[in-house]
Amino acid sequence: MDGISVKINPLHLEDLRNEHHPSLFDVNPDYDMLIVRLPVIGEDVQIVSTGFILTPTGSYRFDRERNDLIALESRFEGPHRIIDPLIDRLLKGFNGYLERVADMEERLYTDRAETNFMTQWLGLKRDILRVERVLARTTTVLAEVTEHYEPLERFPVDHYADLQEHTDRLLRSALHQLSKLDYIYNFHNARTNEKMNRLIYLLTVISAIFLPLNLVVGFFGMNTGGLPFADTPSGTVNAVILMASLLLVTSVGLLLWHRRRVTQHH
């Protein structure tokens, strides 16, 4: 172990210690360094980097807890057996996002969107965007590894091509889900604006109906002499009849205007 550690560039050791280091494949004369950064989906999305050193005769995984390089059983199969389960868990965890996006879409289309729609939407957008950003780099790095080692006879090209295919499929799925979330957001805004427009329209109609009544009430409420119906015993009844007539005329007028508007629209 001491033999390999002295060959490692101190800057590379710092990269291996960094648990947030981006995915990287660095070719050197005595060894190659591979860092694979993958999301870990739980209650939140955690991004974890796993570092490897590949020499002409073997491979090592960097253990951050021990701050040491641990020898693996095979030059290429060793890293593959560590990376493959991480990607499999990522595939299973990402299916939860697919179900949540589909459920949000279904509820929105059936007009059953939750009151905390924006909170859910922002959470999904943030998590899936993080997955997409990480996988975009990781897929490229795995492609570089496959291209670099493919000429070697003992390199398991199918295994590493499978890793690349899985990350690429996840990347395309993440991009698709981000597009769906954008569409859902636009649809939600359109539905919200439509409801707001209907509410404003209703308030406008109510205001138009009661505006003449307000004018009548304000007129008869003036503290001046000579007001109509002021000196007659049935003045209050006459004023009520006048306001009821105005209410009826205004309501009928608005109803006819609404029907004409609907007819023109269709």
Side-chain angles (χ1 to χ4, degrees):
M1 188 62 219
D2 293 336
I4 184 62
S5 63
V6 297
K7 295 180 181 179
I8 306 300
N9 188 307
L11 295 178
H12 289 164
L13 288 175
E14 290 297 323
D15 292 339
L16 293 171
R17 293 189 184 100
N18 184 4
E19 61 181 9
H20 302 297
H21 196 283
S23 295
L24 176 69
F25 180 58
D26 190 15
V27 178
N28 299 273
D30 297 326
Y31 62 89
D32 300 330
M33 182 176 69
L34 171 63
I35 298 178
V36 177
R37 192 183 190 203
L38 290 170
V40 178
I41 299 177
E43 294 184 1
D44 295 319
V45 177
Q46 303 293 330
I47 309 299
V48 178
S49 297
T50 305
F52 303 92
I53 294 295
L54 292 88
T55 67
T57 57
S59 62
Y60 304 84
R61 177 182 65 86
F62 187 80
D63 190 326
R64 292 191 181 89
E65 294 183 358
R66 298 169 56 178
N67 191 31
D68 200 358
L69 288 165
I70 308 301
L72 302 177
E73 68 277 10
S74 172
R75 181 184 182 188
F76 298 117
E77 289 293 345
H80 174 268
R81 291 175 183 174
I82 294 175
I83 299 172
D84 187 52
L86 296 176
I87 295 179
D88 287 342
R89 285 198 293 270
L90 178 59
L91 282 167
K92 295 178 181 178
F94 195 79
N95 287 335
Y97 289 128
L98 303 182
E99 295 174 0
R100 290 172 60 185
V101 172
D103 182 65
M104 178 179 290
E105 187 177 26
E106 180 67 23
R107 287 181 173 274
L108 188 62
Y109 291 160
T110 56
D111 200 18
R112 294 184 294 117
E114 295 86 348
T115 55
N116 60 343
F117 170 85
M118 285 305 302
T119 302
Q120 294 186 16
W121 185 87
L122 286 172
L124 284 171
K125 182 80 172 182
R126 176 199 62 212
D127 290 348
I128 296 177
L129 190 59
R130 293 186 67 191
V131 171
E132 182 269 333
R133 285 200 302 261
V134 172
L135 289 180
R137 177 62 184 165
T138 301
T139 301
T140 302
V141 167
L142 290 175
E144 293 175 358
V145 172
T146 303
E147 182 180 0
H148 179 75
Y149 289 122
E150 187 174 5
L152 299 181
E153 181 179 355
R154 295 184 179 181
F155 177 66
V157 60
D158 292 340
H159 290 180
Y160 281 80
D162 184 63
L163 295 179
Q164 181 188 349
E165 189 276 332
H166 284 172
T167 56
D168 184 65
R169 175 151 48 93
L170 270 171
L171 175 61
R172 286 184 280 107
S173 179
L175 291 171
H176 179 62
Q177 297 308 310
L178 289 174
S179 298
K180 288 182 68 175
L181 285 173
D182 289 339
Y183 178 78
I184 290 172
Y185 177 78
N186 293 333
F187 186 85
H188 177 264
N189 276 351
R191 178 68 61 83
T192 302
N193 291 337
E194 181 183 1
K195 292 181 179 180
M196 185 65 67
N197 290 336
R198 288 179 181 176
L199 179 60
I200 294 175
Y201 175 76
L202 178 61
L203 293 176
T204 303
V205 170
I206 294 175
S207 298
I209 291 175
F210 286 96
L211 181 60
L213 301 182
N214 291 331
L215 292 175
V216 171
V217 171
F219 177 77
F220 283 101
M222 292 188 300
N223 190 21
T224 59
L227 290 174
F229 312 135
D231 299 327
T232 59
S234 59
T236 301
V237 175
N238 293 335
V240 171
I241 292 174
L242 175 61
M243 289 189 292
S245 301
L246 286 174
L247 179 62
L248 178 62
V249 171
T250 305
S251 300
V252 171
L254 287 173
L255 179 61
L256 293 175
W257 173 79
H258 177 72
R259 287 184 176 179
R260 181 180 178 183
R261 184 165 175 257
V262 171
T263 302
Q264 291 177 349
H265 179 73
H266 289 290

